[in-house]
Amino acid sequence: MLLTSHDRALRPAADAPGTRTSALKARIGALKAPRRLKAALVASAASVCLVAASASPTPLGVGDRLFPYLGNPGYDVTAYDLSFTYPGTNDKPLQAVTTIDAVTTAPLSRVNLDFARGKVTSVEIDGEAASFAAAGEDLVVTPDEQLPEGERVRITVRHTSDPMTSGGREGGWIRTADGLAMANQADAAHLVFPSNDHPSDKARFTFRITAPNGYTAVANGLPTDVRPAGTTTTWTYRTQHPMATELAQVSIGRSTVVRRTGPHGLPLRDVVPTRHRTALEKWLAKTPDQITWMESKIGRYPFETYGLLIADASTGFELETQTLSLFERELFNDPAFPEWYVDAIMVHELAHQWFGNSVSPRTWSDLWLNEGHATWYEALYAEEKSDRTLEARMRAAYGASDRWRAAGGPPAAPKVPESDSRLGIFRPNVYDGAALVLYALRQEIGRPAFEDLERAFVKRHKDGSATTADFVSLASRMAGRDLSGFFQEWLYGEKTPPMPGHPDWKPTAAEPTAGPKAMEHRKTAAE
């Protein structure tokens, strides 16, 4: 994600040497025999309007250091089927049905789902009505019989999905000038649909979006069906690769889908406001060459399609939603942003398709692997295509690195996000601060070994998730020597170590101009 803050004070000068802050398995087969379930229903006053079960529910989590109650233990989601019915206005709840296919990884007397903004009307387990209740930001479903380990289970939740924020809780649906889009990173997918909302549990997705005629609906993956029915049309999309919940995307608006072909026949589709389609073509046409450039660095594009979703909304970030990156239209028509800068931001989000999407972070403390790499290729692209020197940007980042670490923590041990922070964990330490670690690594092991490592890392962990330890281990293997000490200092040290090959680089007192970071959720240095 790239924070593209539109606060004027945070924007890069047109002549700055680098400034934009660098900012969701196969479908389950046979179902279990029906089981009788409890039906005790009691009104709940929680923010998610639920019916209470007979016993007091408890919120759970997978123990993520930064988001302790995010995700849920005891099961692995294999597939989501999400159905949304848009009422024709973006200030009213959508009617929705979420179907989750999962396999239990432990005996479960209850199944916790993350869900925090909507009204649940019913829950079924394998077609039988189940009791349910709210607990914090969890929807707790209670079968009358414990689910054994290794059980295939299908959970169907009928609910509303509310695009209106409440209680200061941002994220989830974004209201655009003509409809809706999604921005779920890092912990907001469960504001849209019930889920196991943690990047360690990836699954395949099917989306079914019904909207009044005149609207266009687009989602991650490829279209499989468009079905008119009277005054509405239902659009169906499926992903061919597993996806983290935070990367789910649905766009509903008065949009045009622009299609073209990328390298090796890759189908590209951009989603743009119809009235701005012509003005945006200059930017849309850049994507095929940008993909070719990225493939030359780290290998073949990892998904079935790609494109830009350009939204009429002021979000303050760009976001790498899988196969369909979200951008603010303002990024492309604001003269304050020079062309080289916008190009680099486009590459930042594109690079995330490999780093962050195909290879997801196992925990949110591994975020530096996403943002550091996206920032790295953003900066490298600016150097190769626009003569914006990488070394100058890294030297500026080195000068600020100690301050970034003090404010946000070391790159691989970010501080817990403040509850009232708009940026959360997306701080400069995981953007340019993390790209600086990659620069130091290249200095330490040499360019050929570094480039081999990059290709090997995305190939080894494709369609999965990875930890910092995975990267350190592979780097040591590729370099032919133990690099754990090097990474311990660079990723976890309170102070920035000396830069290999640049003993003259020193911390500075003033803030540097931190190259374009796509500030997707931009969460970064120039923020």
Side-chain angles (χ1 to χ4, degrees):
M1 169 192 262
L2 256 177
L3 301 176
T4 50
S5 179
H6 292 308
D7 296 332
R8 301 302 173 183
L10 298 182
R11 291 190 171 182
D15 59 351
T19 354
R20 194 153 189 125
T21 48
S22 285
L24 144 109
K25 302 167 182 160
R27 176 167 295 280
I28 295 299
L31 300 178
K32 307 190 313 296
R35 60 175 77 79
R36 292 178 302 167
L37 300 170
K38 298 178 182 178
L41 304 179
V42 182
S44 170
S47 59
V48 181
C49 303
L50 305 174
V51 180
S54 58
S56 177
T58 302
L60 300 176
V62 294
D64 192 288
R65 183 179 68 86
L66 299 177
F67 299 99
Y69 291 103
L70 205 60
N72 291 286
Y75 62 93
D76 174 41
V77 178
T78 58
Y80 290 94
D81 190 308
L82 307 179
S83 296
F84 298 104
T85 299
Y86 181 64
T89 178
N90 63 9
D91 60 356
K92 296 288 190 297
L94 291 76
Q95 296 299 314
V97 180
T98 294
T99 299
I100 300 171
D101 287 336
V103 177
T104 60
T105 58
L108 292 177
S109 58
R110 284 176 171 165
V111 180
N112 280 48
L113 304 174
D114 299 304
F115 189 49
R117 185 184 293 158
K119 180 178 181 178
V120 175
T121 55
S122 70
V123 180
E124 296 176 357
I125 295 183
D126 294 342
E128 296 291 329
S131 57
F132 55 95
E137 294 197 348
D138 279 12
L139 167 62
V140 184
V141 183
T142 306
D144 64 350
E145 296 176 3
Q146 179 173 273
L147 302 176
E149 181 178 354
E151 186 90 341
R152 293 179 173 182
V153 60
R154 173 169 290 174
I155 304 169
T156 302
V157 184
R158 289 174 173 80
H159 61 97
T160 62
S161 186
D162 196 342
M164 301 299 288
T165 60
S166 60
R169 185 82 159 84
E170 296 184 355
W173 289 114
I174 293 174
R175 298 170 63 208
T176 67
D178 60 353
L180 294 170
M182 282 187 194
N184 297 328
Q185 198 176 65
D187 61 335
H190 65 281
L191 303 183
V192 177
F193 58 94
S195 59
N196 198 26
D197 193 10
H198 193 271
S200 61
D201 191 2
K202 300 168 72 169
R204 285 182 169 83
F205 279 71
T206 298
F207 299 88
R208 309 173 200 275
I209 308 110
T210 301
N213 295 337
Y215 287 88
T216 298
V218 183
N220 312 87
L222 292 172
T224 62
D225 188 49
V226 179
R227 186 162 301 185
T231 61
T232 66
T233 299
T234 298
W235 311 71
T236 303
Y237 294 83
R238 288 192 176 93
T239 66
Q240 294 181 3
H241 298 261
M243 180 171 71
T245 50
E246 49 116 355
L247 301 173
Q249 183 58 267
V250 169
S251 166
I252 305 169
R254 299 190 183 279
S255 308
T256 293
V257 179
V258 183
R259 304 186 187 279
R260 69 191 80 227
T261 301
H264 49 79
L266 179 71
L268 304 180
R269 51 89 172 85
D270 302 302
V271 184
V272 301
T274 298
R275 63 196 181 105
H276 299 297
R277 186 259 181 273
T278 300
L280 291 168
E281 173 59 23
K282 166 189 172 180
W283 302 102
L284 306 180
K286 293 173 179 279
T287 298
D289 287 343
Q290 291 173 346
I291 294 176
T292 297
W293 183 86
M294 280 297 304
E295 289 189 334
S296 74
K297 301 300 179 185
I298 51 178
R300 191 167 174 133
Y301 178 76
F303 297 122
E304 63 271 26
T305 185
Y306 185 64
L308 278 59
L309 166 57
I310 301 180
D312 258 332
S314 293
T315 60
F317 57 79
E318 323 305 323
L319 183 60
E320 68 276 11
T321 41
Q322 191 161 309
T323 73
L324 187 62
S325 293
L326 174 67
F327 291 84
E328 299 171 280
R329 185 176 63 84
E330 185 177 350
L331 173 67
F332 301 99
N333 65 6
D334 190 330
F337 299 131
E339 184 170 356
W340 70 267
Y341 178 80
V342 178
D343 289 345
I345 290 177
M346 292 173 67
V347 169
H348 181 112
E349 303 309 330
L350 174 60
H352 270 308
Q353 302 301 313
W354 286 265
F355 296 98
N357 295 11
S358 180
V359 184
S360 297
R362 188 75 52 80
T363 75
W364 280 111
S365 295
D366 300 309
L367 176 65
W368 78 274
L369 288 168
N370 302 16
E371 300 302 347
H373 277 101
T375 302
W376 173 261
Y377 289 103
E378 163 200 316
L380 194 61
Y381 187 85
E383 176 177 68
E384 293 188 9
K385 299 296 184 179
S386 302
D387 297 323
R388 301 283 164 167
T389 307
L390 175 67
E391 183 176 317
R393 178 169 174 174
M394 293 298 100
R395 183 168 188 163
Y398 188 91
S401 179
D402 281 357
R403 295 195 304 277
W404 292 341
R405 289 170 184 246
K415 292 182 178 179
V416 174
E418 299 176 4
S419 59
D420 60 347
S421 172
R422 180 178 67 88
L423 303 180
I425 57 177
F426 300 104
R427 307 179 180 106
N429 58 327
V430 299
Y431 285 90
D432 274 59
L436 187 67
V437 176
L438 298 176
Y439 181 82
L441 177 61
R442 194 178 75 168
Q443 292 288 105
E444 179 74 13
I445 67 176
R447 187 186 297 259
F450 177 82
E451 292 175 351
D452 288 346
L453 167 63
E454 295 290 273
R455 289 175 172 270
F457 181 71
V458 295
K459 182 178 181 180
R460 177 180 295 256
H461 298 288
K462 176 180 169 64
D463 286 341
S465 60
T467 65
T468 297
D470 291 328
F471 187 79
V472 171
S473 175
L474 184 60
S476 295
R477 188 174 307 126
M478 301 293 290
R481 58 190 172 91
D482 185 6
L483 294 172
S484 56
F486 169 88
F487 279 110
Q488 180 65 34
E489 291 185 330
W490 276 96
L491 291 175
Y492 299 100
E494 292 184 6
K495 297 291 185 180
T496 310
M499 176 60 69
H502 295 289
D504 57 320
W505 286 14
K506 305 295 181 185
T508 59
E511 282 291 337
T513 54
K517 288 152 195 181
M519 263 189 120
E520 338 151 3
H521 253 83
R522 236 195 181 153
K523 330 152 190 170
T524 172
E527 290 148 9

